[in-house]
Amino acid sequence: MQLNLSKPICFFDLETTGVNISKDRIVEISILKVYPDGKEENKTWLVNPEMPIPAEVTAIHGISDADVADKPTFKELSKEIHNMIKDSDLGGFNSNRFDIPLLAEEMLRAEIDFDMKGRQSVDVQTIFHKMEQRTLSAAYKFYCDKNLDGAHSAEADTKATYEVLKAQLARYEELENDTKFLAEFSSRKKFADFAGFLIFNKEGEECFSFGKHKGKRVVDVLEQEPGYFGWLLNADFPLYTKKVLTAIKLRQFNNKLS
């Protein structure tokens, strides 16, 4: 089974210092780039997160402070990584909820204007959960009849994710071999930001998904309570969420002028 691609797709996986999108950092990233002609390109980097890796996290992925002490920082690697993925759709396992949001944070910290405009994201975990309700190791065994040796290694998980998607396409007739279809099928709610703090309503307008203004349109809240915008920008929200809020605020300002 070869993916039917109109542009390259980069399957990727992150190992990190934790699961807080705003605060935690990447310690390993592996990217498998698949081209429309079937050509594959793979690259893996160990990354100095510039912060300690908690012992309980090292116990999961096996990467310690000593392993990354002499490795480049993400900022030093950011242009190389961005050049590899900038022309591609993205794919991963739980990537829509974790890997893409955290990658976006790292890119923005490195002063690279990363976003998902013009590209699709295929979350293989969501397809799996809609079809079978399992973990990646179980998915690999179920779909590919292989044991996932080296689970929680970014490279092993990345390759397994790619193989699982191809097996899913071979197994389920209702899945179309088309990146746009797979992206829509593997999405959950329509988020305006990566982390899910801002969602689109039925009219396609940005709304808050949390707190006292949950369900309200962002433009209404910014109009009626201007101080809330300042609080959001100074609070511990992901950089990409703040970027989207700033864009909405600027759009609102420009609409008033026109």
Side-chain angles (χ1 to χ4, degrees):
M1 169 66 69
Q2 182 170 315
L3 296 184
N4 182 21
L5 303 175
S6 59
K7 65 190 294 187
I9 182 169
C10 285
F11 294 92
F12 77 103
D13 186 71
L14 307 177
E15 302 303 335
T16 66
T17 59
V19 295
N20 186 310
I21 291 169
S22 300
K23 295 181 178 179
D24 282 303
R25 301 291 189 269
I26 295 170
V27 297
E28 186 180 31
I29 176 170
S30 186
I31 300 173
L32 174 61
K33 187 170 186 176
V34 184
Y35 293 84
D37 63 1
K39 174 189 169 185
E40 298 176 12
E41 177 185 352
N42 179 246
K43 198 143 190 189
T44 300
W45 299 266
L46 281 171
V47 184
N48 185 333
E50 302 181 276
M51 65 181 293
I53 305 172
E56 61 270 22
V57 178
T58 295
I60 295 172
H61 54 50
I63 301 170
S64 67
D65 291 336
D67 293 327
V68 296
D70 61 347
K71 301 302 179 184
T73 65
F74 186 87
K75 186 167 186 176
E76 291 169 332
L77 293 168
S78 59
K79 289 183 180 178
E80 182 181 0
I81 293 170
H82 186 252
N83 285 338
M84 188 171 183
I85 68 174
K86 65 183 180 182
D87 64 341
S88 305
D89 294 324
L90 297 179
F93 199 85
N94 194 33
S95 49
N96 285 350
R97 302 182 71 182
F98 180 71
D99 297 86
I100 290 176
L102 202 149
L103 178 63
E105 290 299 290
E106 290 278 35
M107 286 290 185
L108 291 172
R109 275 192 289 267
E111 299 179 349
I112 291 179
D113 190 18
F114 175 86
D115 61 41
M116 291 296 291
K117 291 177 182 176
R119 67 172 107 198
Q120 306 291 341
S121 61
V122 178
D123 193 327
V124 175
Q125 185 194 61
T126 304
I127 296 174
F128 183 36
H129 285 179
K130 285 187 173 183
M131 295 297 188
E132 303 295 346
Q133 304 293 317
R134 295 289 191 275
T135 61
L136 177 57
S137 295
Y140 197 52
K141 181 67 176 176
F142 182 86
Y143 289 111
C144 306
D145 197 25
K146 300 176 184 177
N147 292 319
L148 180 51
D149 297 324
H152 297 298
S153 155
E155 185 170 350
D157 287 356
T158 297
K159 289 181 178 179
T161 298
Y162 174 45
E163 289 186 43
V164 166
L165 177 59
K166 291 191 292 182
Q168 287 173 330
L169 287 167
R171 177 179 289 263
Y172 303 116
E173 291 184 2
E174 60 266 43
L175 292 181
E176 296 179 19
N177 192 345
D178 175 79
T179 306
K180 186 174 187 296
F181 172 88
L182 294 170
E184 291 175 353
F185 188 86
S186 62
S187 67
R188 290 183 171 89
K189 290 183 178 179
K190 294 292 186 182
F191 296 132
D193 65 337
F194 292 135
F197 290 108
L198 307 172
I199 60 174
F200 290 109
N201 61 18
K202 292 180 180 179
E203 289 72 39
E205 301 165 312
E206 300 94 343
C207 297
F208 288 106
S209 67
F210 69 97
K212 65 179 182 178
H213 294 305
K214 184 176 181 179
K216 296 180 182 178
R217 296 195 313 162
V218 174
V219 291
D220 293 336
V221 173
L222 297 185
E223 178 73 25
Q224 297 163 11
E225 193 177 337
Y228 194 61
F229 177 72
W231 175 80
L232 289 167
L233 292 188
N234 290 312
D236 188 22
F237 287 99
L239 294 175
Y240 193 84
T241 301
K242 294 177 181 180
K243 176 185 172 182
V244 174
L245 284 167
T246 301
I248 295 171
K249 182 76 170 177
L250 183 60
R251 186 182 70 206
Q252 186 182 37
F253 178 75
N254 288 335
N255 287 342
K256 287 182 178 180
L257 293 178
S258 60

